[in-house]
Amino acid sequence: MGKDLLLKLERETLLQLTPEQLVNIIVEQAIAIEKLNSRILELEEKVEKLKISRDLDSKTSSKPP
């Protein structure tokens, strides 16, 4: 199954697919969702670290300006 099919998941198209094809789509989507969730967590951690480093200036940090 190609990515073109995944991009065009219209109701009529889905109704014409076999159960095996539908399961394949679900599995591919689950994998994509897991990758996206991991990336979101990674980016959220990075944002938090950046917020902390932004808030540490020469007045609140032991580092010189």
Side-chain angles (χ1 to χ4, degrees):
M1 177 180 330
K3 291 191 178 198
D4 292 335
L5 181 59
L6 289 177
L7 294 175
K8 299 177 182 176
L9 293 180
E10 298 173 359
R11 183 174 175 76
E12 291 303 316
T13 303
L14 291 172
L15 288 171
Q16 295 174 11
L17 297 177
T18 66
E20 183 178 347
Q21 289 172 313
L22 293 171
V23 168
N24 288 339
I25 290 172
I26 293 168
V27 169
E28 287 179 31
Q29 288 180 339
I31 291 168
I33 289 168
E34 184 60 35
K35 287 179 182 178
L36 290 170
N37 282 335
S38 294
R39 182 67 175 146
I40 289 169
L41 289 175
E42 179 184 317
L43 292 172
E44 286 176 340
E45 288 174 4
K46 189 171 186 174
V47 166
E48 285 305 311
K49 287 179 184 178
L50 289 170
K51 283 181 181 179
I52 290 170
S53 67
R54 176 202 64 195
D55 293 340
L56 294 178
D57 59 19
S58 61
K59 295 177 184 172
T60 60
S61 171
S62 58
K63 295 180 183 177

